[in-house]
Structures are given as C-alpha cells and as structure tokens.
Amino acid sequence: MSPFTYERPTAPAEAAAAIERHPGAKFIAGGTNLLDLMKLQIEAPVHLVDVNGLGLNKIEPTTDGGLRVGALVRNTALAADERVRRDYGVLSRALLSGASGQLRNRATTAGNLLQRTRCPYFYDTDQPCNKRQPGSGCSAIGGFSRPLAVVGGSEACIATHPSDMAVAMRVLDAGIETVRPDGRTRVIPIADFHRPPGNTPHIDTTLERNELITAVTLPPPLGGTHLYRKVRDRASYAFALVSVAAVIQRDGSGRVALGGVAHKPWRDAAADAALPQGAKAATARLLADARPTHDNAFKVPLAERTLAAVLAQARSTS
Ligand SMILES: Cc1cc2nc3c(=O)[nH]c(=O)nc-3n(C[C@H](O)[C@H](O)[C@H](O)COP(=O)(O)OP(=O)(O)OC[C@H]3O[C@@H](n4cnc5c(N)ncnc54)[C@H](O)[C@@H]3O)c2cc1C
Ligand code: SF4
C-alpha cells in the first residue's frame, strides 16, 4: 500500500473542502472496497478524508412521506429499519442478498453506491483494463466475460455495476443528495448517477471529485409487492449474474430493474409499461439493445426466467 495522510472532519462541507485541497485525495467510509483496492495498488490516494465523524448516520422521514437515509447508514441498519422493511421491502431484500453480515455491518449507503466493478481484469494489474488504466485496452472483450454486461456496454468496457442495493434504489427512483466545498447542494436522480462506460469507463458516476454524498432520499412508499431475486454462482457471498428488483401492484402493473447486466442498474419505462403482458414482453423491452458475448449470452434468457419467477411470486403473495 502506498503511504497516505489522513484526517477526520466533523462537517460535510469541510470534508468536501478537504478533498479539494488535496489533489489525489479520497473519502473513506466503511473501507470495505477502498482498502482492498489500495492494497492491490488499483487506487492510491495520497490523502484519506474519513467521513465517519460527519453525523450522517440517521434515517429520517421526509416532509413528503418518504425517507432520508444518511450516507453513513450501514447496510445492516438500513435493511433492518422497521420503516424500510414495511414500506421499501425491495431495498431491505436487496441489501440482505449482498456480501456477508460482517461486511454489511461496516458497508455504508454511499460507499455501496460507489463500489467499483468486480470485473476480474480490473483487479488483475498485469492485464490491460481501460477502467483501471485509461487507454490500455479491455481484456474482457474477447477474454473471459461470463459475469459481465450484456447491454449498455461500449467498445472500451463491458463491466457491470456490482451493487444490489443500487438496483432496488433504481426501482424506487431514489435521489442522491450531495454537498460541495462551498456548501452548495444538489439531488442527483439515481437514473443519472451511474454512467454508461462510453469512451471513459474510468469515470463511474456523475459525481464530481470534491462532491460528498450526504444522503439518499426515497420517495413516498409505492405499496404493492416488493421482491428482489438474485441469481448467482453460489447461494451466498457472491455477486449477481442477474438480479431483478420489482414492485408489483395487484393489477399486474409495476416497476422492474435488472442488476448484473449493465454498467448501471438497468431500467426502462417501456418495460414497466409491458409488465402486465408478462416477463417475456418486459424483458424484450429491457434487453432490446442487448449485445451479449459468447460467454454471457445465457444472461438474456436468465433475466426473462428470473423476472417470470418474480411475477409468479408476486401473484401468489398479493
Ligand atoms: C467479499 C465481498 C463481497 C461483497 N459482496 C457484495 C454483494 O454481493 N453485493 C453488493 O452489493 N456488494 C457486495 N460487496 C461490496 C460491498 O457492499 C461494498 O464494499 C460496500 O458497500 C462499500 O461501502 P463502504 O462504506 O465500505 O465504502 P468504502 O470502501 O469506504 O468506499 C467506496 C467508495 O465510495 C467513496 N465514498 C464513500 N463514502 C462517500 C461519500 N459519503 N461521498 C462520496 N464518496 C464516498 C470512497 O471514496 C470510495 O471510492 C462485497 C464486498 C466484499 C469485500
Ligand atoms: S470490461 Fe471494463 S473493467 Fe473489465 S477489463 Fe474491460 S475495461 Fe476493464
């Protein structure tokens, strides 16, 4: 690991200002992703700004009937919150499908959104990877691509975003609250937060370098049946090959998002509209532009079958 300096500010804008003061600095929250990347020299921040002392660990009601989840709320606390379990079951289920109990006790809401891809070449520093080293090439295209994207990729990168939580937040239309060093705040709709890779796959999100995530807001509850189904190579402690987050109403209408298939949680309004016609119609819309590789073509029918299982479960429980 490369040497770094460290500070622990106590106010959000102060934390953002600390990043601005130190080129090459990074925020650290639970450290469950960043420290691994630092040990492998994939990330080498010269200065760490610890955000654990900012008081951003509360879950509070919003005036419109939704919830505001502090950036530092741990994944375990968010999944177990009574209001989340009652009104946002898809989020609780997605969180509990991720990582392990120990990791979830440490991992934070903001850190989870910003975790980096699990593409095997991104972690193998002997191999070219445009996301790790811009311009070096993509080893996955023409290489081992079984866990990677089938839609929304580019000639430069076909990585997937590994978060389960983000897929549920996408189906709920969450907003990401941020603050900059001068105190200016904004809310980024989750649909606009994670970027497609294009020619710049090293840039994962629309967040600016010195912008701190302070909270995630959940709109008022949608009602309906909330389900999250994750298909993976092992029953636990594995990332999704395909996941489905869905909120289904009694009349068969609803919302759906896919995980494990793209650089970002994957949702399409046309697929939501097609849900009453069934899984085949909705998946055809969601994956209309799919360009799978030889290794991961199985993800397209797998997504349809997983959605079919989710819709059947929703019918049997509503
Ligand atoms: C073995 C293993 C298995 C896993 N399995 C799964 C899984 O199945 N599903 C899943 O979804 N996840 C899984 N994870 C990933 C885990 O959920 C993430 O590592 C975790 O959520 C990251 O949160 P953190 O708080 O530890 O982030 P950190 O490692 O502290 O930070 C991650 C990134 O976020 C930035 N950051 C942190 N807080 C802020 C902030 N407030 N504002 C701006 N930037 C910020 C940091 O600078 C860093 O770039 C797994 C991880 C491991 C190690
Ligand atoms: S898919 Fe993306 S992360 Fe994986 S090797 Fe290619 S550029 Fe790197």
Side-chain angles (χ1 to χ4, degrees):
M1 197 184 275
S2 303
F4 57 88
T5 48
Y6 170 90
E7 71 178 285
R8 189 176 158 112
T10 52
E14 198 188 311
I19 293 283
E20 191 169 59
R21 271 198 306 276
H22 296 89
K26 286 209 78 131
F27 298 116
I28 184 161
T32 61
N33 190 217
L34 184 58
L35 287 177
D36 281 353
L37 296 169
M38 288 169 67
K39 287 179 199 162
L40 292 165
Q41 304 262 330
I42 294 166
E43 303 242 26
V46 295
H47 186 69
L48 284 184
V49 178
D50 185 339
V51 295
N52 286 280
L54 303 180
L56 301 175
N57 53 359
K58 297 180 192 65
I59 305 175
E60 299 163 313
T62 56
T63 49
D64 67 354
L67 275 187
R68 184 171 187 274
V69 180
L72 265 291
V73 172
R74 308 287 161 180
N75 289 178
T76 299
L78 184 55
D81 185 272
E82 200 185 318
R83 295 157 294 183
V84 174
R85 290 175 59 191
R86 186 187 60 222
D87 296 330
Y88 304 96
V90 63
L91 178 57
S92 187
R93 291 191 165 95
L95 282 159
L96 291 175
S97 78
S100 64
Q102 258 181 331
L103 280 159
R104 293 193 298 267
N105 288 344
R106 188 75 202 145
T108 64
T109 303
N112 192 312
L113 285 171
L114 290 169
Q115 62 176 294
R116 306 219 60 196
T117 186
R118 292 281 160 173
C119 172
Y121 300 106
F122 179 73
Y123 286 82
D124 182 348
T125 51
D126 290 334
Q127 304 290 330
C129 168
N130 286 324
K131 190 180 275 297
R132 176 170 30 79
Q133 196 179 346
S136 61
C138 172
S139 301
I141 298 174
F144 174 74
S145 56
R146 184 171 180 276
L148 301 182
V150 295
V151 69
S154 70
E155 297 302 315
C157 180
I158 54 168
T160 51
H161 193 271
S163 168
D164 292 293
M165 182 195 80
V167 186
M169 287 183 172
R170 179 69 184 90
V171 101
L172 294 169
D173 275 337
I176 292 144
E177 285 184 17
T178 71
V179 67
R180 295 187 173 100
D182 59 6
R184 274 183 305 139
T185 60
R186 66 167 171 156
V187 179
I188 309 170
I190 192 161
D192 302 332
F193 185 72
H194 295 103
R195 295 173 72 253
N199 291 326
T200 51
H202 59 291
I203 307 171
D204 289 341
T205 70
T206 51
L207 204 64
E208 286 170 19
R209 198 187 76 82
N210 58 8
E211 201 172 1
L212 174 82
I213 298 179
T214 48
V216 171
T217 46
L218 304 178
L222 297 167
T225 303
H226 288 223
L227 295 167
Y228 188 78
R229 187 174 285 232
K230 175 174 177 180
V231 183
R232 46 191 154 172
D233 281 331
R234 289 193 296 258
S236 72
Y237 212 40
F239 291 90
L241 289 168
V242 165
S243 70
V244 171
V247 177
I248 307 295
Q249 306 296 340
R250 270 178 182 276
D251 63 2
S253 66
R255 301 173 172 201
V256 61
L258 297 179
V261 298
H263 206 242
K264 57 190 288 181
W266 201 249
R267 185 158 168 224
D268 187 319
D272 287 359
L275 270 177
Q277 296 160 46
K280 193 178 178 69
T283 315
R285 269 39 164 228
L286 274 166
L287 298 180
D289 297 325
R291 285 176 53 205
T293 66
H294 175 71
D295 273 358
N296 67 18
F298 72 94
K299 286 193 179 191
V300 175
L302 182 60
E304 184 186 319
R305 286 200 299 274
T306 309
L307 179 57
V310 163
L311 296 181
Q313 191 178 347
R315 276 195 300 275
S316 70
T317 54
S318 67

mmCIF file of all heavy atoms in Angstrom, residues 12-41:
data_model
loop_
_atom_site.group_PDB
_atom_site.id
_atom_site.type_symbol
_atom_site.label_atom_id
_atom_site.label_comp_id
_atom_site.label_asym_id
_atom_site.label_seq_id
_atom_site.Cartn_x
_atom_site.Cartn_y
_atom_site.Cartn_z
ATOM 1 N N PRO A 12 -19.933 18.145 6.842
ATOM 2 C CA PRO A 12 -19.917 17.663 5.458
ATOM 3 C C PRO A 12 -19.169 18.576 4.474
ATOM 4 O O PRO A 12 -18.322 18.096 3.711
ATOM 5 C CB PRO A 12 -21.406 17.553 5.114
ATOM 6 C CG PRO A 12 -22.064 17.262 6.430
ATOM 7 C CD PRO A 12 -21.291 18.053 7.442
ATOM 8 N N ALA A 13 -19.456 19.905 4.483
ATOM 9 C CA ALA A 13 -18.786 20.787 3.514
ATOM 10 C C ALA A 13 -17.278 20.831 3.772
ATOM 11 O O ALA A 13 -16.471 20.953 2.843
ATOM 12 C CB ALA A 13 -19.397 22.189 3.558
ATOM 13 N N GLU A 14 -16.917 20.700 5.064
ATOM 14 C CA GLU A 14 -15.489 20.672 5.437
ATOM 15 C C GLU A 14 -14.808 19.429 4.822
ATOM 16 O O GLU A 14 -13.677 19.490 4.337
ATOM 17 C CB GLU A 14 -15.447 20.583 6.964
ATOM 18 C CG GLU A 14 -14.160 20.943 7.649
ATOM 19 C CD GLU A 14 -14.276 20.595 9.143
ATOM 20 O OE1 GLU A 14 -15.285 20.976 9.771
ATOM 21 O OE2 GLU A 14 -13.361 19.926 9.641
ATOM 22 N N ALA A 15 -15.538 18.325 4.819
ATOM 23 C CA ALA A 15 -14.982 17.092 4.221
ATOM 24 C C ALA A 15 -14.778 17.282 2.715
ATOM 25 O O ALA A 15 -13.741 16.897 2.162
ATOM 26 C CB ALA A 15 -15.914 15.918 4.492
ATOM 27 N N ALA A 16 -15.765 17.907 2.060
ATOM 28 C CA ALA A 16 -15.640 18.151 0.621
ATOM 29 C C ALA A 16 -14.472 19.106 0.348
ATOM 30 O O ALA A 16 -13.707 18.917 -0.610
ATOM 31 C CB ALA A 16 -16.951 18.720 0.075
ATOM 32 N N ALA A 17 -14.311 20.119 1.210
ATOM 33 C CA ALA A 17 -13.206 21.077 1.050
ATOM 34 C C ALA A 17 -11.860 20.381 1.232
ATOM 35 O O ALA A 17 -10.872 20.722 0.550
ATOM 36 C CB ALA A 17 -13.366 22.226 2.041
ATOM 37 N N ALA A 18 -11.805 19.412 2.132
ATOM 38 C CA ALA A 18 -10.542 18.693 2.364
ATOM 39 C C ALA A 18 -10.131 17.926 1.098
ATOM 40 O O ALA A 18 -8.942 17.861 0.766
ATOM 41 C CB ALA A 18 -10.704 17.733 3.539
ATOM 42 N N ILE A 19 -11.110 17.376 0.387
ATOM 43 C CA ILE A 19 -10.793 16.673 -0.873
ATOM 44 C C ILE A 19 -10.262 17.675 -1.895
ATOM 45 O O ILE A 19 -9.290 17.417 -2.621
ATOM 46 C CB ILE A 19 -12.057 15.962 -1.413
ATOM 47 C CG1 ILE A 19 -12.491 14.825 -0.491
ATOM 48 C CG2 ILE A 19 -11.839 15.472 -2.855
ATOM 49 C CD1 ILE A 19 -11.682 13.556 -0.576
ATOM 50 N N GLU A 20 -10.914 18.844 -1.950
ATOM 51 C CA GLU A 20 -10.498 19.862 -2.925
ATOM 52 C C GLU A 20 -9.061 20.333 -2.662
ATOM 53 O O GLU A 20 -8.289 20.570 -3.584
ATOM 54 C CB GLU A 20 -11.460 21.046 -2.857
ATOM 55 C CG GLU A 20 -11.280 22.019 -4.009
ATOM 56 C CD GLU A 20 -12.424 23.012 -4.043
ATOM 57 O OE1 GLU A 20 -12.624 23.735 -3.047
ATOM 58 O OE2 GLU A 20 -13.118 23.057 -5.059
ATOM 59 N N ARG A 21 -8.701 20.427 -1.383
ATOM 60 C CA ARG A 21 -7.356 20.916 -1.010
ATOM 61 C C ARG A 21 -6.246 19.946 -1.398
ATOM 62 O O ARG A 21 -5.110 20.346 -1.572
ATOM 63 C CB ARG A 21 -7.298 21.129 0.514
ATOM 64 C CG ARG A 21 -7.724 22.502 0.982
ATOM 65 C CD ARG A 21 -7.226 22.775 2.399
ATOM 66 N NE ARG A 21 -7.617 21.766 3.354
ATOM 67 C CZ ARG A 21 -8.793 21.722 3.987
ATOM 68 N NH1 ARG A 21 -9.702 22.634 3.742
ATOM 69 N NH2 ARG A 21 -9.060 20.768 4.850
ATOM 70 N N HIS A 22 -6.591 18.637 -1.470
ATOM 71 C CA HIS A 22 -5.553 17.621 -1.709
ATOM 72 C C HIS A 22 -5.818 16.889 -3.015
ATOM 73 O O HIS A 22 -6.602 15.926 -3.029
ATOM 74 C CB HIS A 22 -5.550 16.576 -0.585
ATOM 75 C CG HIS A 22 -5.187 17.118 0.759
ATOM 76 N ND1 HIS A 22 -6.108 17.637 1.641
ATOM 77 C CD2 HIS A 22 -3.983 17.212 1.368
ATOM 78 C CE1 HIS A 22 -5.498 18.019 2.730
ATOM 79 N NE2 HIS A 22 -4.206 17.789 2.609
ATOM 80 N N PRO A 23 -5.181 17.297 -4.120
ATOM 81 C CA PRO A 23 -5.342 16.507 -5.353
ATOM 82 C C PRO A 23 -4.938 15.055 -5.056
ATOM 83 O O PRO A 23 -3.943 14.823 -4.368
ATOM 84 C CB PRO A 23 -4.367 17.165 -6.332
ATOM 85 C CG PRO A 23 -4.101 18.525 -5.764
ATOM 86 C CD PRO A 23 -4.250 18.421 -4.269
ATOM 87 N N GLY A 24 -5.739 14.116 -5.540
ATOM 88 C CA GLY A 24 -5.411 12.704 -5.269
ATOM 89 C C GLY A 24 -5.961 12.207 -3.950
ATOM 90 O O GLY A 24 -5.622 11.103 -3.513
ATOM 91 N N ALA A 25 -6.827 13.015 -3.287
ATOM 92 C CA ALA A 25 -7.438 12.562 -2.026
ATOM 93 C C ALA A 25 -8.709 11.791 -2.316
ATOM 94 O O ALA A 25 -9.310 11.926 -3.387
ATOM 95 C CB ALA A 25 -7.754 13.766 -1.150
ATOM 96 N N LYS A 26 -9.138 10.970 -1.336
ATOM 97 C CA LYS A 26 -10.405 10.244 -1.461
ATOM 98 C C LYS A 26 -11.116 10.219 -0.122
ATOM 99 O O LYS A 26 -10.481 10.209 0.937
ATOM 100 C CB LYS A 26 -10.162 8.794 -1.904
ATOM 101 C CG LYS A 26 -9.780 8.664 -3.363
ATOM 102 C CD LYS A 26 -10.217 7.339 -3.956
ATOM 103 C CE LYS A 26 -11.683 7.362 -4.272
ATOM 104 N NZ LYS A 26 -12.066 6.909 -5.564
ATOM 105 N N PHE A 27 -12.459 10.159 -0.192
ATOM 106 C CA PHE A 27 -13.234 9.901 1.016
ATOM 107 C C PHE A 27 -13.077 8.427 1.373
ATOM 108 O O PHE A 27 -12.945 7.578 0.496
ATOM 109 C CB PHE A 27 -14.727 10.150 0.757
ATOM 110 C CG PHE A 27 -15.071 11.564 0.386
ATOM 111 C CD1 PHE A 27 -15.596 11.867 -0.860
ATOM 112 C CD2 PHE A 27 -14.889 12.597 1.305
ATOM 113 C CE1 PHE A 27 -15.938 13.169 -1.201
ATOM 114 C CE2 PHE A 27 -15.231 13.909 0.968
ATOM 115 C CZ PHE A 27 -15.749 14.195 -0.287
ATOM 116 N N ILE A 28 -13.140 8.135 2.675
ATOM 117 C CA ILE A 28 -13.259 6.727 3.087
ATOM 118 C C ILE A 28 -14.420 6.620 4.070
ATOM 119 O O ILE A 28 -14.548 7.441 4.977
ATOM 120 C CB ILE A 28 -11.937 6.168 3.671
ATOM 121 C CG1 ILE A 28 -12.121 4.679 3.970
ATOM 122 C CG2 ILE A 28 -11.464 6.943 4.906
ATOM 123 C CD1 ILE A 28 -10.818 3.912 4.105
ATOM 124 N N ALA A 29 -15.265 5.588 3.845
ATOM 125 C CA ALA A 29 -16.418 5.367 4.741
ATOM 126 C C ALA A 29 -16.171 4.054 5.483
ATOM 127 O O ALA A 29 -15.362 4.003 6.405
ATOM 128 C CB ALA A 29 -17.700 5.364 3.926
ATOM 129 N N GLY A 30 -16.830 2.955 5.063
ATOM 130 C CA GLY A 30 -16.583 1.663 5.715
ATOM 131 C C GLY A 30 -15.243 1.067 5.319
ATOM 132 O O GLY A 30 -14.684 0.239 6.040
ATOM 133 N N GLY A 31 -14.734 1.462 4.178
ATOM 134 C CA GLY A 31 -13.422 0.988 3.719
ATOM 135 C C GLY A 31 -13.449 -0.416 3.126
ATOM 136 O O GLY A 31 -12.409 -0.941 2.738
ATOM 137 N N THR A 32 -14.628 -1.034 3.013
ATOM 138 C CA THR A 32 -14.664 -2.444 2.578
ATOM 139 C C THR A 32 -14.316 -2.633 1.109
ATOM 140 O O THR A 32 -13.938 -3.719 0.698
ATOM 141 C CB THR A 32 -16.052 -3.080 2.839
ATOM 142 O OG1 THR A 32 -17.038 -2.356 2.099
ATOM 143 C CG2 THR A 32 -16.412 -3.075 4.317
ATOM 144 N N ASN A 33 -14.437 -1.593 0.310
ATOM 145 C CA ASN A 33 -13.992 -1.673 -1.083
ATOM 146 C C ASN A 33 -12.687 -0.910 -1.267
ATOM 147 O O ASN A 33 -11.716 -1.428 -1.823
ATOM 148 C CB ASN A 33 -15.081 -1.140 -2.021
ATOM 149 C CG ASN A 33 -14.776 -1.410 -3.486
ATOM 150 O OD1 ASN A 33 -15.072 -0.587 -4.338
ATOM 151 N ND2 ASN A 33 -14.196 -2.547 -3.815
ATOM 152 N N LEU A 34 -12.638 0.299 -0.742
ATOM 153 C CA LEU A 34 -11.465 1.146 -0.993
ATOM 154 C C LEU A 34 -10.175 0.526 -0.451
ATOM 155 O O LEU A 34 -9.136 0.549 -1.131
ATOM 156 C CB LEU A 34 -11.690 2.546 -0.379
ATOM 157 C CG LEU A 34 -10.583 3.551 -0.652
ATOM 158 C CD1 LEU A 34 -10.366 3.742 -2.151
ATOM 159 C CD2 LEU A 34 -10.876 4.892 0.012
ATOM 160 N N LEU A 35 -10.221 -0.044 0.746
ATOM 161 C CA LEU A 35 -8.981 -0.592 1.314
ATOM 162 C C LEU A 35 -8.467 -1.772 0.486
ATOM 163 O O LEU A 35 -7.259 -1.907 0.275
ATOM 164 C CB LEU A 35 -9.188 -0.997 2.778
ATOM 165 C CG LEU A 35 -9.309 0.181 3.747
ATOM 166 C CD1 LEU A 35 -9.574 -0.312 5.166
ATOM 167 C CD2 LEU A 35 -8.055 1.054 3.735
ATOM 168 N N ASP A 36 -9.390 -2.614 -0.010
ATOM 169 C CA ASP A 36 -8.958 -3.718 -0.889
ATOM 170 C C ASP A 36 -8.254 -3.160 -2.124
ATOM 171 O O ASP A 36 -7.217 -3.661 -2.553
ATOM 172 C CB ASP A 36 -10.168 -4.545 -1.344
ATOM 173 C CG ASP A 36 -10.650 -5.517 -0.273
ATOM 174 O OD1 ASP A 36 -9.971 -5.649 0.760
ATOM 175 O OD2 ASP A 36 -11.719 -6.131 -0.476
ATOM 176 N N LEU A 37 -8.847 -2.097 -2.699
ATOM 177 C CA LEU A 37 -8.264 -1.507 -3.918
ATOM 178 C C LEU A 37 -6.912 -0.867 -3.623
ATOM 179 O O LEU A 37 -5.996 -0.899 -4.458
ATOM 180 C CB LEU A 37 -9.227 -0.490 -4.517
ATOM 181 C CG LEU A 37 -10.561 -1.079 -5.016
ATOM 182 C CD1 LEU A 37 -11.562 0.018 -5.347
ATOM 183 C CD2 LEU A 37 -10.334 -1.966 -6.237
ATOM 184 N N MET A 38 -6.770 -0.303 -2.438
ATOM 185 C CA MET A 38 -5.484 0.308 -2.061
ATOM 186 C C MET A 38 -4.408 -0.770 -1.858
ATOM 187 O O MET A 38 -3.262 -0.599 -2.263
ATOM 188 C CB MET A 38 -5.654 1.156 -0.795
ATOM 189 C CG MET A 38 -6.423 2.449 -1.039
ATOM 190 S SD MET A 38 -6.894 3.300 0.475
ATOM 191 C CE MET A 38 -5.305 3.798 1.126
ATOM 192 N N LYS A 39 -4.801 -1.874 -1.259
ATOM 193 C CA LYS A 39 -3.824 -2.955 -1.033
ATOM 194 C C LYS A 39 -3.309 -3.510 -2.355
ATOM 195 O O LYS A 39 -2.163 -3.930 -2.468
ATOM 196 C CB LYS A 39 -4.463 -4.078 -0.203
ATOM 197 C CG LYS A 39 -4.658 -3.706 1.258
ATOM 198 C CD LYS A 39 -5.310 -4.868 1.988
ATOM 199 C CE LYS A 39 -5.941 -4.392 3.283
ATOM 200 N NZ LYS A 39 -6.932 -5.339 3.809
ATOM 201 N N LEU A 40 -4.190 -3.513 -3.368
ATOM 202 C CA LEU A 40 -3.786 -4.014 -4.694
ATOM 203 C C LEU A 40 -3.158 -2.920 -5.557
ATOM 204 O O LEU A 40 -2.826 -3.165 -6.717
ATOM 205 C CB LEU A 40 -5.017 -4.591 -5.411
ATOM 206 C CG LEU A 40 -5.600 -5.864 -4.805
ATOM 207 C CD1 LEU A 40 -6.998 -6.144 -5.345
ATOM 208 C CD2 LEU A 40 -4.680 -7.052 -5.078
ATOM 209 N N GLN A 41 -3.048 -1.712 -5.009
ATOM 210 C CA GLN A 41 -2.474 -0.549 -5.728
ATOM 211 C C GLN A 41 -3.331 -0.159 -6.939
ATOM 212 O O GLN A 41 -2.831 0.456 -7.884
ATOM 213 C CB GLN A 41 -1.042 -0.831 -6.192
ATOM 214 C CG GLN A 41 -0.116 -1.240 -5.083
ATOM 215 C CD GLN A 41 0.733 -0.097 -4.548
ATOM 216 O OE1 GLN A 41 1.057 0.823 -5.269
ATOM 217 N NE2 GLN A 41 1.074 -0.158 -3.280
#
